Amino acid sequence: MTFKKTLLAASLSTLAITGLAQAKGISDNEIRIGYIADMSGTYSPLAGPNGLIAAEMAIADFGGKVKGKNITIVAADDQNKPDIGANKVREWIDTNNIDLVAGMVSSAVTIAVNKVVEAKDKLSIVSGSASSSITNQYCTANSVHYVYDTYALAHGTGEAVVKEGGDTWFFLTADYAFGHAMEGDVTAVVNQSGGKIVGGVRHPLATSDFSSFILQAQASGAKIVGLANAGADTINALKTAKEFGVVASGQKIAGLLVFLHDVKSLGLETTQGLQLTTGFYWDRTPETRAWSKQFYAKTGSMPTMVHAGIYSSTMHYLKAVEATGTDDAKTVLAQMKKTPINDFFATNGSIRDDGRMIHDMYLAEVKKPSESKGEWDLFKILRTIPADKAFRPLSESQCKLVAAK
């Protein structure tokens, strides 16, 4: 093929793609977002009602319209149950023509919802779920995993703890997809670093009594008790560990998914010195402080990394819709993937072929009471984990989208 013919073919292809996007336009003359998360249970502080407010802030800051078309949002409580989440999203798409599904915390719910979204050729942006399997063996061509995952948490916190001498581990693991993925990712890190897993126990979601689990952890003799759980489960486990004198007796606790609100709830006296990995901290830069103060004014609370990620991802989505002039899922996602993300939330952000949004992560440590200068002055950032080091490399991916390349 001659150069002119090649150039002509490329131009026609570009025109065809552009024309397709323009032809599809904004369906129903409205951008519709469905926000689904645990709104009242174990994980509600992580995203919950305040995550909905974060999404509404993004919509308002964008101007409430795209290309003159209104942006609307509806919300539902998935109760951490995959069937409820999947059925609600199917109903939204079938009856309301929802364009984007946002939020999502329980990994089991997310995996179920993403199957519906893929089958209906819509788009989902996952901000609250942790399981790295979402963009690995369960990846889809219609979803983005935005804020963090178990691989990043394991390689941030796990590596740091082992390097400091914590080379024998006992796990307290939430018995569902997230907990299993977290335990698996941390186990790989510990083994690679020369450590050893000496035991573990799995507990049901929303466990109130951790006494027997903590006793097993103490009896194991492990230097580190790894908490592969989140939300109220992490809080209850840490409270029980304090009551049983786990740290006082010489063991250390690794909170593998610890949020700002967990530390606030437990207090610095209980959590001081705890290391954790996070994708966002409200007091890290002037930009994070400015946005977080706006969020606080609306909620009375400083944001978790999930709240910040929901705002950022919603804004990134709306910019892609504006740039393409359509709400067609594949067209919008292609635009999102080719557009770098650098805002108050993400540094060096980009969306890969597997749907994983990679960005810098941070190893943090909970301050001592004497170091804190205010109610929400809880973390100090120890180091930055670069985007290309924080998340699972594509060379290790099991995602069908990567293998097809």
Side-chain angles (χ1 to χ4, degrees):
M1 185 180 287
T2 66
F3 173 76
K4 287 184 177 180
K5 287 183 178 179
T6 302
L7 184 60
L8 178 60
S11 299
L12 289 172
S13 176
T14 300
L15 286 170
I17 293 170
T18 304
L20 181 63
Q22 290 175 343
K24 288 181 177 177
I26 306 294
S27 60
D28 297 331
N29 290 315
E30 195 170 61
I31 298 298
R32 296 170 180 168
I33 300 172
Y35 175 85
I36 191 160
D38 175 1
M39 300 293 274
S40 57
T42 302
Y43 293 155
S44 59
L46 314 187
N50 283 353
L52 176 61
I53 290 173
E56 291 171 340
M57 287 174 64
I59 293 169
D61 289 348
F62 195 80
K65 296 178 182 289
V66 179
K67 299 288 187 180
K69 312 299 184 183
N70 289 333
I71 306 165
T72 63
I73 187 166
V74 295
D77 186 347
D78 60 33
Q79 300 175 45
N80 292 317
K81 296 178 180 179
D83 57 336
I84 291 178
N87 289 336
K88 174 52 69 173
V89 168
R90 186 178 293 107
E91 175 192 324
W92 275 345
I93 294 172
D94 289 345
T95 62
N96 299 333
N97 195 25
I98 288 291
D99 300 301
L100 171 69
V101 181
M104 290 177 283
V105 178
S106 164
S107 295
V109 172
T110 294
I111 291 167
V113 165
N114 278 352
K115 289 178 181 177
V116 175
V117 171
E118 183 178 35
K120 300 287 187 178
D121 198 24
K122 295 296 184 176
L123 182 61
S124 72
I125 302 178
V126 182
S127 294
S129 300
S131 176
S132 61
S133 66
I134 291 167
T135 51
N136 202 30
Q137 60 264 43
Y138 296 116
C139 74
T140 83
N142 295 70
S143 61
V144 175
H145 198 177
Y146 205 83
V147 177
Y148 68 105
D149 64 24
T150 52
Y151 183 97
L153 300 176
H155 283 254
T157 308
E159 281 185 2
V161 170
V162 175
K163 284 179 181 177
E164 291 178 0
D167 55 4
T168 56
W169 287 62
F170 182 96
F171 285 106
L172 267 63
T173 302
D175 193 12
Y176 79 106
F178 151 66
H180 301 169
M182 176 65 84
E183 181 182 323
D185 284 336
V186 176
T187 295
V189 169
V190 172
N191 290 337
Q192 289 166 10
S193 303
K196 182 181 180 181
I197 309 301
V198 301
V201 61
R202 291 180 172 178
H203 65 81
L205 179 65
T207 295
S208 58
D209 186 358
F210 276 85
S211 301
S212 65
F213 305 130
I214 292 296
L215 286 171
Q216 290 179 63
Q218 288 182 304
S220 73
K223 294 179 183 177
I224 305 297
V225 179
L227 303 182
N229 51 25
D233 284 335
T234 295
I235 290 172
N236 288 333
L238 286 168
K239 285 179 178 177
T240 306
K242 181 175 175 59
E243 291 170 5
F244 280 71
V246 170
V247 175
S249 65
Q251 289 178 299
K252 292 185 178 181
I253 298 174
L256 299 169
L257 180 50
V258 177
F259 286 89
L260 185 73
H261 292 67
D262 300 333
V263 173
K264 177 75 163 51
S265 173
L266 290 163
L268 295 181
E269 194 65 44
T270 298
T271 56
Q272 60 183 306
L274 187 69
Q275 290 190 344
L276 57 105
T277 303
T278 186
F280 173 85
Y281 180 51
W282 73 270
D283 199 25
R284 191 178 66 84
T285 68
E287 292 76 17
T288 61
R289 284 191 286 275
W291 183 83
S292 297
K293 287 177 181 177
Q294 293 175 14
F295 182 87
Y296 183 88
K298 291 182 176 294
T299 65
S301 175
M302 283 300 178
T304 66
M305 62 175 164
V306 176
H307 298 140
I310 288 170
Y311 179 99
S312 173
S313 61
T314 303
M315 187 66 75
H316 190 59
Y317 167 77
L318 294 174
K319 288 179 179 178
V321 173
E322 182 177 56
T324 59
T326 181
D327 54 8
D328 173 67
K330 294 293 197 309
T331 306
V332 173
L333 183 53
Q335 178 68 23
M336 291 172 67
K337 286 183 174 180
K338 75 177 187 180
T339 307
I341 305 163
N342 284 288
D343 57 14
F344 77 94
F345 169 75
T347 304
N348 299 317
S350 63
I351 300 171
R352 303 189 311 197
D353 290 339
D354 59 351
R356 176 67 258 173
M357 198 282 267
I358 64 169
H359 56 95
D360 291 354
M361 296 284 286
Y362 308 96
L363 181 67
E365 184 174 282
V366 177
K367 290 185 173 183
K368 299 175 182 176
S370 60
E371 295 174 322
S372 177
K373 298 177 181 179
E375 181 184 11
W376 293 96
D377 182 24
L378 304 176
F379 295 170
K380 52 186 174 184
I381 302 298
L382 300 181
R383 65 182 176 91
T384 298
I385 307 168
D388 61 348
K389 302 294 184 185
F391 296 92
R392 187 191 312 278
L394 287 178
S395 60
E396 297 177 10
S397 177
Q398 299 174 39
C399 174
K400 60 191 178 187
L401 305 173
V402 175
K405 286 263 177 185

